[in-house]
Each structure stands twice: as structure tokens, then as C-alpha cells.
């Protein structure tokens, strides 16, 4: 158990190296090895639950070795209740992604599998790195494979979408790098010791102007990744042009790197700025705009995949509201929305891809009444759509309810407006669902559609099981989240109050 984090971090990279040495013509063998490696990765990641101590707020399963000793940079890993479930979400979605694209990718299949394996390792690295430089390396490493996934295996406008995605995200990341370097030098100046451990950065105090600049340097990188309105414009293009598997990973995990960054770095490193009334009002306002705007724009989308893309803007707005409300219920709710969004929106993208493979169209009007000919697909789409709008007894309800419950204590008026986002979600998803599967079957092309195959059922069953399980019994997840969430809230509030009192 002492090296489980290193194992799940480096296993995908090791397999990617092996696959790079295999002949290109071994298509089936390469896909099989990639799928098996991802399944083994998921099983190994589950062992974290056995070694994870309930009721403990600090980092667990810790590993630390010198990496660049002269500069105090370490290979340091650890998980707590905030990062544990994001790692498991990553390892769950990756094998499902490989299975879903088994017959869909014909161009450069070896490079496709390698790209996703490297991306899986980089995403896991983001969530388990406890050295800020190591975190930054993995944060940037995710860009290249996703750029390739969109640019090589995407749609007609894939190059435009890939470049836009890359330029948006790299710009914010470079500013964050400057902030990391400054804090490292400041730590050496204050203590005489080089260190980039995130724990050593906590509790450092800077002049208000400097802390404000550092907060914005970090927050811009994370806000672009979320994406927070109005920095969201790259997202619909990336989702629409990416292959189905790319959209699933982008929505399921990559966007969560932004919200995770706020929780792990922006708030605890710069609490005085983060909790300044003007900053709070600004972030909450942008989150609220995202909730309402994302839903309203989704309502008018003729393209089913673009509708799902804009729904992500709304869902991530709930996450930002929950984080900045900074109550136990709202932070736990924000974490649950992050997980649930990865499951439900990932499943929606899978289903949109399955519909596209049958009709070669993403337009909602291209369908209608298909529940009569594809009942299994229709049933799955109905369940996933209901979870996405937050129907009670589904995973979507638990997270959004906790966010609204916790946020009401801090921002009652804002929360009332945010609650309308749940209604808006029903207004864009339920009519789309009706038009796709329940309207009259009036198009001859839809009369002979094939229902779900065994492979597609295997793709959807794990996600449907999670939708029901989390919706009915979220206690195991909330129990492991609670200590870390409490510690985060207390440390941020205490540090902010201390800084204000000593000014």
C-alpha cells in the first residue's frame, strides 16, 4: 500500500512506452493491452479505499523523495478526501473510454491509445501531487494529449478547436508558473530553505497587493480550465469537434482540474484575497451567470452535443458557488457535483456518440420516436438525462441540493436565483429528450436503428450504477470527504481573519 500512488501514476506511462514499441499493424493487440491496463489501473486505485483512514483530514498514502534537491523540489504524492474521489473518477472513466471507442477509431489507433494513457497518468498526477512544481508539470502535461485527441481524431473544424483549446489554457498556465516561482523564492527569502511543498506554502503571508496579483495568476489558469464565464468560449468548440472519448474525458476530468485547483491552491494559499468581499462578489456573480447563461444557451442548441457542452458551463457554475460559499455542506456538495458531472455528462456524451454512429448526425431534429426501435438506448438516455437535471434518487440531486443548502447560509439571495438553474436544466434537457426519443417516429431513417450492443451496454452499466448508487447512498463518499473539507474551510477562514487583523 505504501507505493499505490506511484503505481497508478506510472503504470499508464509504462504501458504507453511498451505500446510505442509495438508494430502499428497490431491494432487489436494494442487496443486490448490499453483496455486491460486501464482496467488493472482501476482495480489498483480501488485499493486506496482500504488504506484510507476515515476521520483523518491530512494527506494519506504519502510518498516523498527528493527530485531536484538543490531547489527543494520533491517527488511528493498524497491523497485526502478532496482528491481521493477525483482519482477514482479518472481511473473509472479511462477503461470505459477505451471500450466505447473500440470500433470508432481507425486512424492511428496506436497513437490514440498512447495519448489517452499518458493523459490518464497526467490527470492522476494533478490530483495526487503535493509539490507545487510537480503539480504544474502534470497540469501542463494534460494539454498535449488532449490537443492531439482533438486535432487528430476530431471533426471537420478540429484544428481550429484544438489550437483554441491549447492557446486559452497555456496562457493562464504560464502566469501561474510565474506565481509559483515567486512564492518559491519568497519562501527561501523568509526561511533560508528551498521548498515547493504545498504544505510549506500554506500560511505564508504577502503584502495585499502582491497576494492579489498571485491570486489572479493562479485563478486565471483555473478559471480557464473550469471554464468560468466569460472564459468558456473554447469549451463548446472543443466538445463538438472532439471525438466522443475526448469529450467524455474533457468534461469528466479535465474541467475538474480547474475547480480542484481553486480548492487546493487559490483559496488556501491566498485566503485574504479569496475572501475579500469584492472578490467573493465577483466570483459568485460569474458563477451565477454561468449557471443561468449556460442553461439558457443550451436551450436553443440544435446540436445535441453542443447542448451537453453548454450544460457543463451551468454545472460547473454550481461547483464555483459551492466553493465560495465555504460551508461544509456547500464544499461537499461542490465536490459531489464535480464527481457527478463527470459521471452523468460523460454518459450523455457516450449516448450522443452512440446516436451519431447510428445516424451520422448530432442534430436533435434528425431523431424522434426512436424509443420504439431502440428501447434500451432510450431508457439509458432517460435515466442519464434525469440525473443531469437533478432528479431525487439520482446522483445529480445530492450534489446540487448540498450546494444550494450550504450556499443559502452565505448567499441567500444568490442561492434563490441559482436554484432556477435546476429549472432551466429541465427546460433544455427534457424537451431535447422528448424530441429525440418520444416524438412520433416520422423519419424512415430511424425505423431500422440498432439498439445497444453488448459492448455499449458494458460502457453504460458502470455509469448507470454510479448514478443510482450515489443518488441513493452517498454516505461513504461524504464521510471520507468531510474531514478534509472541514480542515480546508477552517484554515481558509482563520488565515483570512489573521491576515486582516494584522494589517
Amino acid at each position: 500500500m505504501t507505493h499505490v500512488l506511484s503505481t497508478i501514476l506510472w503504470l499508464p506511462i509504462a504501458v504507453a512506452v511498451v505500446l510505442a514499441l509495438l508494430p502499428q499493424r497490431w491494432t487489436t493487440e494494442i487496443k486490448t493491452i490499453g483496455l486491460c491496463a486501464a482496467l488493472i489501473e482501476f482495480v489498483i486505485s480501488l485499493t486506496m479505499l482500504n488504506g484510507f483512514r476515515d476521520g483523518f483530514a491530512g494527506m494519506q498514502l504519502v510518498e516523498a523523495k527528493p527530485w531536484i534537491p538543490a531547489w527543494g523540489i520533491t517527488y511528493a504524492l498524497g491523497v485526502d478526501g478532496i482528491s481521493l474521489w477525483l482519482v477514482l473518477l479518472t481511473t473509472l472513466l479511462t477503461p470505459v473510454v477505451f471500450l466505447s471507442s473500440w470500433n470508432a477509431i481507425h486512424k492511428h489507433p496506436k497513437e490514440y491509445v498512447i495519448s489517452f494513457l499518458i493523459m490518464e497518468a497526467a490527470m492522476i498526477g494533478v490530483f495526487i501531487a503535493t509539490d507545487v512544481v510537480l503539480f504544474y508539470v502534470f497540469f501542463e502535461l494534460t494539454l498535449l494529449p488532449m490537443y492531439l485527441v482533438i486535432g487528430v481524431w476530431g471533426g471537420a473544424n478540429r484544428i481550429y478547436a484544438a489550437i483554441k483549446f491549447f492557446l486559452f489554457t497555456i496562457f493562464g498556465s504560464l502566469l501561474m508558473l510565474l506565481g509559483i516561482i515567486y512564492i518559491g523564492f519568497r519562501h527561501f527569502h523568509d526561511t533560508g530553505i528551498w521548498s515547493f511543498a504545498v504544505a510549506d506554502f500554506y500560511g505564508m503571508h504577502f503584502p495585499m497587493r502582491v497576494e492579489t496579483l498571485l491570486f489572479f495568476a493562479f485563478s486565471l489558469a483555473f478559471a480557464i480550465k473550469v471554464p468560468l464565464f466569460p472564459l468558456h468560449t473554447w469549451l463548446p468548440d472543443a466538445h463538438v469537434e472532439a471525438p466522443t472519448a475526448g469529450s467524455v474525458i474533457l468534461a469528466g476530468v479535465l474541467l475538474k482540474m480547474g475547480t480542484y485547483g481553486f480548492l487546493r491552491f487559490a483559496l488556501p494559499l491566498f485566503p485574504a484575497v479569496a475572501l475579500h468581499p469584492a472578490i467573493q462578489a465577483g466570483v459568485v456573480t460569474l458563477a451565477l451567470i454561468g449557471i443561468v447563461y449556460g442553461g439558457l444557451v443550451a436551450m436553443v442548441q440544435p446540436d445535441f452535443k453542443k447542448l451537453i457542452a453548454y450544460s457543463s458551463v451551468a454545472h460547473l457554475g454550481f461547483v464555483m458557488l459551492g466553493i465560495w460559499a465555504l460551508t461544509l455542506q456547500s464544499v461537499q456538495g461542490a465536490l459531489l457535483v464535480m464527481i457527478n458531472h463527470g459521471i452523468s455528462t460523460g454518459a450523455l456524451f457516450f449516448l450522443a456518440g452512440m446516436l451519431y454512429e447510428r445516424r451520422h448526425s448530432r442534430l436533435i431534429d434528425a431523431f424522434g420516436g426512436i424509443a420504439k426501435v431502440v428501447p434500451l438506448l432510450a431508457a439509458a438516455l432517460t435515466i442519464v438525462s434525469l440525473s443531469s437535471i437533478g432528479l431525487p434518487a439520482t446522483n445529480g440531486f445530492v450534489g446540487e441540493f448540498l450546494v444550494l443548502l450550504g450556499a443559502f447560509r452565505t448567499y441567500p439571495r444568490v442561492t434563490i436565483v441559482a436554484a432556477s438553474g435546476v429549472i432551466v436544466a429541465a427546460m433544455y434537457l427534457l424537451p431535447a429528450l422528448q424530441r429525440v426519443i418520444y416524438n412520433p417516429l416520422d423519419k424512415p431513417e430511424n425505423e431500422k436503428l440498432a439498439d445497444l450492443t453488448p459492448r455499449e451496454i458494458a460502457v453504460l452499466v458502470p455509469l448507470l450504477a454510479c448514478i443510482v448508487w450515489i443518488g441513493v447512498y452517498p454516505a461513504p463518499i461524504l464521510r471520507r470527504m468531510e474531514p478534509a473539507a472541514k480542515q480546508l474551510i477552517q484554515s481558509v477562514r482563520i488565515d483570512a481573519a489573521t491576515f486582516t487583523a494584522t494589517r
Side-chain angles (χ1 to χ4, degrees), residues 141-161:
L141 184 59
T142 61
L143 296 184
L144 183 57
M146 180 51 75
Y147 172 81
L148 293 175
V149 167
I150 298 172
V152 176
W153 295 280
N157 295 321
R158 59 186 181 275
I159 301 301
Y160 167 78

Side-chain angles (χ1 to χ4, degrees), residues 304 351-360 367 370 377 436:
F304 193 39
L351 288 160
M354 293 170 189
L355 290 170
Y356 180 80
E357 289 176 8
R358 286 159 170 78
R359 284 284 278 109
H360 300 289
F367 300 93
I370 63 172
L377 192 153
V436 170

Side-chain angles (χ1 to χ4, degrees), residues 25-230:
R25 66 180 182 275
W26 290 13
T27 302
T28 302
E29 291 82 356
I30 289 170
K31 291 179 181 179
T32 303
I33 293 172
L35 175 60
C36 291
L39 288 170
I40 293 171
E41 176 89 345
F42 175 61
V43 172
I44 295 174
S45 69
L46 290 176
T47 63
M48 292 191 300
L49 296 174
N50 291 330
F52 195 87
R53 286 188 292 157
D54 293 357
F56 182 71
M59 288 291 173
Q60 303 187 42
L61 307 175
V62 173
E63 301 178 37
K65 293 184 178 180
W67 181 23
I68 308 177
W71 294 95
I73 301 173
T74 58
Y75 170 78
L77 310 177
V79 292
D80 61 3
I82 293 173
S83 56
L84 172 69
W85 299 103
L86 294 171
V87 174
L88 291 173
L89 176 65
T90 305
T91 59
L92 168 67
L93 288 179
T94 304
V96 178
V97 156
F98 281 142
L99 189 60
S100 73
S101 54
W102 190 269
N103 296 325
I105 300 300
H106 306 287
K107 180 172 65 174
H108 307 303
K110 181 171 82 170
E111 290 78 5
Y112 179 85
V113 174
I114 290 173
S115 295
F116 273 97
L117 287 172
I118 293 175
M119 188 155 46
E120 179 185 23
M123 293 184 298
I124 291 172
V126 166
F127 298 133
I128 66 176
T130 57
D131 181 280
V132 184
V133 174
L134 188 65
F135 163 82
Y136 182 81
V137 169
F138 288 124
F139 192 83
E140 291 296 88
L141 184 59
T142 61
L143 296 184
L144 183 57
M146 180 51 75
Y147 172 81
L148 293 175
V149 167
I150 298 172
V152 176
W153 295 280
N157 295 321
R158 59 186 181 275
I159 301 301
Y160 167 78
I163 292 174
K164 189 174 182 180
F165 159 77
F166 189 85
L167 291 179
F168 261 76
T169 49
I170 196 71
F171 174 73
S173 299
L174 290 176
L175 291 178
M176 181 171 65
L177 177 61
L178 294 177
I180 291 171
I181 293 171
Y182 176 85
I183 299 173
F185 273 90
R186 180 61 182 268
H187 184 274
F188 177 75
H189 178 270
D190 292 346
T191 65
I193 300 172
W194 284 108
S195 175
F196 285 89
V198 66
D200 291 338
F201 284 7
Y202 291 160
M204 291 182 64
H205 294 294
F206 309 93
M208 191 63 178
R209 187 176 69 173
V210 174
E211 183 162 329
T212 301
L213 291 174
L214 291 171
F215 173 80
F216 279 105
F218 277 74
S219 295
L220 181 62
F222 301 143
I224 291 171
K225 190 75 77 175
V226 170
L228 190 64
F229 178 92

Side-chain angles (χ1 to χ4, degrees), residues 52 95 144 189 216 235 294 303 331 336 348 378 495:
F52 195 87
L144 183 57
H189 178 270
F216 279 105
L235 182 66
D303 185 316
V331 171
L336 265 181
L348 279 175
D495 287 349

